[in-house]
Amino acid sequence: MKQHHVVAAIICHKNKYLCVQRGENKYPYVAFKYEFPGGKVEPGESNTVALRREIHEELQMDIQVGELFASVYYEYPDFAITMDSYLCTTKSPQLCLNEHIAYQWLRKEDLQTVSWAPADIPVVEKLMDVQRHDIEFTY
């Protein structure tokens, strides 16, 4: 089974979190699901560099990458991922969808109103359990 190391950005702006929706996909179990944006870490790349690169490629957005929030290992039917998710901030909520079909800025209490990709669900659950004062944002 193919294994990938990916990074994901939990981007917060004015107490809302960026959630992006995937489009049509060769793997139907992730098609049209919401996720925290990010992508694969390339050989020789640090997680932080990969995350900034992926967010710029996918969303044309600049972010500040903060601390590691959660690591998830998930086996899909055709591949497995280890996903490291980081708390991130941005000065501007402006973005351009280059790979996704939709996005929403959601308050923490509204995160479960969308259909998440399975690997992102543990991150959403942990985020919902954390008190606001337990998370430090630098922007």
Side-chain angles (χ1 to χ4, degrees):
M1 178 178 289
K2 271 190 165 180
Q3 297 207 13
H4 303 287
H5 178 209
V6 301
V7 287
I10 305 166
I11 303 170
C12 186
H13 183 74
K14 295 188 178 181
N15 296 321
K16 291 186 177 179
Y17 297 91
L18 180 60
C19 312
V20 293
Q21 186 180 27
R22 297 176 73 111
E24 187 74 40
N25 195 288
K26 67 180 179 179
Y27 303 118
Y29 42 84
V30 293
F32 305 107
K33 298 290 186 179
Y34 276 83
E35 64 185 358
F36 293 109
K40 294 178 188 171
V41 178
E42 300 294 335
E45 208 174 34
S46 72
N47 284 3
T48 301
V49 168
L51 196 51
R52 282 194 193 108
R53 176 185 53 75
E54 286 287 348
I55 298 306
H56 193 265
E57 288 173 3
E58 292 180 6
L59 304 171
Q60 294 180 6
M61 176 184 273
D62 292 319
I63 60 168
Q64 181 173 2
V65 179
E67 67 183 62
L68 177 66
F69 181 71
S71 293
V72 173
Y73 175 80
Y74 192 85
E75 288 186 11
Y76 287 103
D78 300 286
F79 62 95
I81 64 168
T82 299
M83 181 175 72
D84 295 323
S85 60
Y86 289 83
L87 297 173
C88 301
T89 54
T90 184
K91 289 182 179 178
S92 171
Q94 301 301 317
L95 57 92
C96 179
L97 294 176
N98 293 323
E99 294 185 20
H100 297 88
I101 62 169
Y103 72 93
Q104 294 185 51
W105 286 96
L106 295 175
R107 294 175 309 168
K108 184 168 76 168
E109 54 269 20
D110 296 326
L111 289 173
Q112 291 183 319
T113 64
V114 298
S115 181
W116 289 92
D120 287 77
I121 292 172
V123 179
V124 171
E125 290 172 346
K126 181 177 179 182
L127 193 58
M128 293 190 69
D129 285 342
V130 174
Q131 296 300 314
R132 178 77 186 144
H133 64 273
D134 293 339
I135 299 176
E136 288 187 32
F137 292 101
T138 52
Y139 269 142

